């Protein structure tokens, strides 16, 4: 019998990773103009990554009904409620869904074996294209796992959340490739190019338009998984390469790029940047955000060194990136230690742009368990090093950044306030109950998902299962809630409610308010590592094994696919 219980993080199967997290709108939207209002075409809904939807009429409660625990197939039955359809995915699913036009796209593994030439025993990263109306399978992009498990952990599937504009889709694969696909597949009777060498043009398989292999072309060495979710600005496509250290902590190619700008029509490299260089702590699993800030188009990357980098989101005459500002998301006295020890982190979540500000939260590979985290609100109109603090030597000269620590006090170095700081506020925890100490529930822990900001309220769930609600303008803690299970994904704010899933397979629904009000907890049978999305009155939630469409007052379900 298949075990559909949540698997503990860091169990004997190895790093279940943050590979997944990708872990994950509507403020400065840069979607294709042909995209309908009910679409959700990329992680966070737009390039700002602020997971806020204008959808209304969304359900507060629902029930999946019966699920066959042996096969994972949804049965439904008389106890199912508000379920439009359920489609079985593979045995592991970490990429959040996107909806565009009449289709929905989900990353998973090959546990279902939808393509005849790849039975379920063949380990693949898969991007499934489903019917938005019925959940029926249409076609699949297949990426066989790399032979080196340290670069592509087995059975984890395809963890990137794609970007869709019109009839084009861009996604980063588990094989370290950026690919552009035709959303129509081969149903349009065409093999779109320049890439036309697909092994199969069967209707159930993907039509590849172009591909960039970052491992072969750029010397990128992923740590466990290549998982960045791409975004675009104009004709530029932005990607974090997932370049990282090997399992011994060695960075084999410090000169390999960490951040890319590509021509989204051709896949040609416009510019590349390797800023973290030899300071990458483990891996780089964050995703870029993009928007107009201070009148300037900025693309913002979270680095594997714990720094955040903003570049001009344009082509340059020299073909080189133009750095606008950088920010150290770690307090200067933190230290990184292997095996999850220490309090120095990096970014797993994407930066979030809202109300002209940038919100950044730190975390680490979830296999290393719990630890402290930091949430920052910063002013992106400043330039240069806008960190909260600087490190200077005994003579007052700036000390260059280091990999595992920033300040060596035994050598006379000290931490000083940065007069050019862009910090608006910083949250590490607050004494909400006024007892003079920080309780577990009042402390921010390592975080994998993005915060979401709406109506002056910020919400984020951390890896220890605590939901934090803050005043987005001041950083004042308003309330917390213990989910009693790790949170990997980001909250969805929509219809005056907050939706957030956890590793135990529950989706909690809160009122979007300055006082905590839990409206419902909805069991989903298997873990929810992803971020809920909404469009046209329908909630879409990807669990570890299913994609579920949820709509209020569904009189009858349209059925499921095997």
């Amino acid at each position: 019998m298949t075990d559909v219980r949540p698997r503990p993080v860091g169990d004997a199967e190895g790093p279940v990773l943050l590979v997944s997290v990708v872990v994950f709108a509507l403020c400065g939207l840069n979607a294709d103009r042909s995209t309908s209002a009910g679409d959700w075409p990329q992680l966070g809904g737009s390039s700002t990554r602020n997971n806020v939807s204008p959808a209304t009429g969304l359900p507060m409660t629902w029930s999946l009904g019966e699920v066959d625990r042996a096969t994972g197939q949804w049965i439904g039955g008389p106890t199912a409620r508000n379920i439009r359809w359920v489609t079985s995915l593979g045995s592991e699913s970490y990429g959040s869904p996107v909806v565009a036009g009449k289709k929905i796209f989900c990353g998973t593994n090959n546990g279902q074996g939808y393509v005849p030439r790849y039975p379920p025993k063949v380990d693949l990263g898969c991007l499934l294209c489903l019917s938005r109306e019925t959940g029926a399978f249409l076609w699949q992009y297949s990426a066989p796992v790399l032979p080196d498990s340290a670069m592509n952990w087995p059975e984890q599937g395809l963890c990137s959340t794609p970007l869709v504009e019109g009839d084009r889709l861009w996604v980063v694969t588990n094989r370290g490739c950026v690919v552009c696909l035709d959303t129509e597949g081969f149903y349009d009777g065409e093999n779109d190019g320049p890439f036309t060498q697909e092994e199969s043009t069967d209707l159930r398989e993907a039509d590849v338009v172009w591909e960039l292999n970052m491992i072969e072309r750029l010397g990128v060495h992923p740590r466990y998984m290549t998982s960045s979710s791409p975004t675009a600005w104009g004709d530029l496509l932005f990607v974090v390469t997932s370049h990282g250290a090997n399992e011994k902590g060695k960075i084999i190619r410090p000169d390999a790029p960490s951040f890319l700008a590509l021509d989204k029509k051709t896949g040609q490299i416009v510019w590349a940047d390797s800023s973290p260089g030899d300071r990458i702590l483990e891996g780089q699993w964050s995703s870029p955000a993009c928007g107009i800030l201070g009148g300037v188009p900025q693309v913002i990357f979270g680095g594997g060194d714990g720094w955040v980098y903003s570049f001009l989101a344009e082509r340059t005459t020299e073909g080189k990136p133009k750095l606008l500002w950088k920010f150290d998301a770690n307090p200067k006295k933190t230290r990184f230690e292997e095996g999850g020890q220490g309090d120095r982190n990096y970014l797993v979540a994407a930066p979030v742009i809202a109300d002209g500000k940038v919100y950044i939260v730190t975390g680490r590979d979830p296999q290393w368990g719990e630890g402290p985290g930091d949430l920052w609100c910063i002013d992106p109109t400043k330039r240069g090093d806008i960190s909260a603090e600087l490190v200077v030597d005994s003579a007052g000269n700036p000390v260059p950044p280091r990999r595992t620590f920033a300040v060596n006090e035994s050598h006379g170095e000290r931490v000083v306030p940065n007069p050019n700081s862009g910090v608006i506020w910083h949250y590490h925890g607050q004494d909400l109950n006024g007892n003079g100490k920080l309780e577990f529930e009042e402390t921010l822990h390592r975080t994998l998902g993005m915060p979401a900001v709406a109506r002056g309220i910020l919400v984020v769930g951390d890896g220890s299962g605590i939901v934090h609600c803050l005043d987005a303008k001041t950083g004042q803690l308003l309330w917390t809630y213990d989910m009693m299970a790790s949170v990997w994904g980001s909250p969805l704010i929509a219809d005056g409610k907050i939706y957030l899933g956890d590793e135990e397979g529950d989706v909690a629904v809160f009122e979007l308010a300055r006082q905590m009000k839990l409206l419902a907890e909805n069991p989903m049978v298997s873990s929810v590592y992803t971020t809920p999305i909404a469009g046209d009155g329908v909630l879409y939630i990807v669990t570890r094994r299913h994609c579920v469409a949820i709509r209020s007052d569904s009189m009858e379900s349209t059925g499921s696919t095997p």
Side-chain angles (χ1 to χ4, degrees):
M1 176 176 291
T2 302
D3 181 7
V4 298
R5 295 172 298 173
R7 182 178 61 197
V9 172
D11 65 6
E13 294 187 45
V16 186
L17 272 160
L18 82 215
V19 327
S20 47
V21 200
V22 207
V23 147
F24 57 99
L26 281 64
C27 179
L29 188 66
N30 183 45
D32 187 274
R33 289 174 183 247
S34 64
T35 301
S36 72
D39 287 354
W40 201 257
Q42 59 181 304
L43 180 69
S46 82
S47 62
T48 65
R49 306 304 197 188
N50 190 23
N51 209 58
V52 179
S53 170
T56 59
L58 299 175
M60 182 175 67
T61 61
W62 58 87
S63 173
L64 283 178
E66 187 179 354
V67 176
D68 188 319
R69 290 184 175 269
T71 65
Q73 183 173 346
W74 179 66
I75 299 170
T79 60
R81 183 166 51 86
N82 286 340
I83 302 299
R84 189 177 187 187
W85 51 257
V86 178
T87 296
S88 294
L89 305 178
S91 60
E92 302 284 348
S93 304
Y94 298 104
S96 297
V98 299
V99 290
K102 297 181 179 180
K103 299 179 179 66
I104 182 166
F105 302 91
C106 308
T108 186
N109 67 14
N110 194 39
Q112 282 298 316
Y114 278 115
V115 173
R117 69 189 180 103
Y118 289 126
K121 66 180 180 180
V122 180
D123 193 0
L124 304 172
C126 300
L127 181 72
L128 302 187
C129 176
L130 310 175
S131 165
R132 184 171 179 173
E133 181 65 26
T134 66
F137 170 80
L138 299 176
W139 55 259
Q140 170 179 300
Y141 174 81
S142 306
V145 298
L146 295 169
D148 185 350
S149 63
M151 297 173 67
N152 182 185
W153 201 260
E155 302 295 334
Q156 300 304 294
L158 188 148
C159 300
S160 170
T161 296
L163 163 70
V164 181
E165 291 182 5
D167 62 355
R168 290 293 181 263
L169 176 151
W170 298 266
V171 72
V172 179
T173 80
N174 51 292
R175 293 185 63 83
C177 298
V178 185
V179 296
C180 176
L181 307 177
D182 178 3
T183 61
E184 297 301 313
F186 291 113
Y187 284 86
D188 60 3
E190 300 176 358
N191 187 352
D192 292 48
F195 185 90
T196 57
Q197 306 304 311
E198 290 90 347
E199 294 182 16
S200 172
T201 56
D202 185 278
L203 289 181
R204 289 166 288 194
E205 305 219 32
D207 181 2
V208 179
V209 179
W210 58 256
E211 175 181 287
L212 171 66
N213 189 317
M214 297 184 291
I215 295 175
E216 294 181 357
R217 176 88 177 270
L218 302 172
V220 168
H221 187 283
R223 171 77 171 255
Y224 300 138
M225 178 61 69
T226 311
S227 59
S228 173
S229 300
T231 194
W233 193 261
D235 64 352
L236 295 181
L237 184 76
F238 298 110
V239 171
V240 177
T241 67
S242 293
H243 183 54
N246 63 19
E247 288 187 300
K248 295 181 179 180
K250 181 179 180 180
I251 301 163
I252 298 173
R253 286 282 305 273
D255 61 328
S258 295
F259 317 131
L260 291 180
L262 307 175
D263 185 307
K264 71 182 182 186
K265 294 181 180 179
T266 66
Q268 294 298 310
I269 298 170
V270 175
W271 51 256
D273 186 86
S274 57
S275 287
D278 60 3
R279 298 193 308 274
I280 299 170
L281 296 173
E282 290 183 317
Q284 299 189 107
W285 300 288
S286 185
S287 299
C290 198
I292 296 286
L293 294 162
V296 177
Q298 300 189 28
V299 56
I300 304 167
F301 298 96
D305 55 350
W307 286 70
V308 183
Y309 300 85
S310 177
F311 297 91
L312 183 67
E314 294 179 354
R315 297 173 183 265
T316 61
T317 54
E318 305 84 7
K320 296 181 180 180
K322 181 179 179 180
L323 181 68
L324 300 175
W325 54 263
K326 59 183 180 178
F327 179 85
D328 188 355
N330 286 295
K332 293 299 186 182
K333 292 187 179 182
T334 57
R335 285 182 173 263
F336 174 83
E337 297 177 31
E338 299 288 347
Q341 303 302 307
D343 52 3
R344 192 165 185 81
N345 300 316
Y346 40 81
L347 274 77
V348 179
V352 170
I353 300 169
D355 302 322
K357 305 176 183 67
V358 175
Y359 297 88
I360 298 160
V361 64
T362 64
R364 286 186 69 175
D365 182 338
Q367 73 166 316
W368 303 129
E370 300 176 358
D374 292 276
L375 171 62
W376 304 86
C377 174
I378 62 175
D379 176 1
T381 65
K382 289 179 171 285
R383 296 294 181 262
D385 186 342
I386 64 171
S387 305
E389 304 167 320
L390 300 174
V391 177
V392 296
D393 62 19
S394 58
N397 300 311
V399 174
R402 300 182 176 99
R403 178 172 179 258
T404 59
F405 66 97
V407 57
N408 189 337
E409 293 177 300
S410 65
H411 287 186
E413 296 174 1
R414 66 187 191 279
V415 177
V416 298
N418 182 4
N420 189 45
S421 171
V423 175
I424 298 172
W425 54 257
H426 171 221
Y427 173 72
H428 185 75
Q430 288 176 17
D431 181 15
L432 187 62
N433 61 15
N435 68 353
K437 60 181 179 179
L438 286 182
E439 307 286 356
F440 183 82
E441 295 83 2
E442 299 170 330
T443 303
L444 182 71
H445 307 90
R446 293 170 181 166
T447 301
L448 307 176
M450 308 171 295
V453 182
R455 299 184 190 174
I457 292 174
L458 178 147
V459 183
V460 68
D462 69 29
S464 296
I466 306 301
V467 183
H468 305 257
C469 180
L470 288 77
D471 184 296
K473 184 177 180 179
T474 66
Q476 177 64 43
L477 180 61
L478 302 175
W479 54 263
T480 65
Y481 178 81
D482 192 349
M483 298 276 284
M484 306 301 291
S486 181
V487 173
W488 289 40
S490 306
L492 166 68
I493 298 178
D495 199 22
K497 296 184 280 288
I498 303 163
Y499 297 85
L500 184 62
D502 67 26
E503 193 176 27
E504 290 292 335
D506 292 325
V507 174
V509 185
F510 304 90
E511 182 178 326
L512 179 61
R514 300 176 75 86
Q515 293 184 337
M516 199 284 292
K517 184 176 181 181
L518 178 66
L519 301 175
E521 284 188 322
N522 299 282
M524 301 295 293
V525 180
S526 61
S527 302
V528 179
Y529 293 116
T530 63
T531 298
I533 67 169
D536 289 335
V538 180
L539 275 172
Y540 299 93
I541 298 176
V542 165
T543 75
R544 184 176 169 187
R545 302 190 66 181
H546 301 96
C547 181
V548 184
I550 305 163
R551 182 175 60 187
S552 291
D553 301 322
S554 296
M555 298 306 295
E556 60 182 57
S557 301
T558 59
S560 66
T561 56

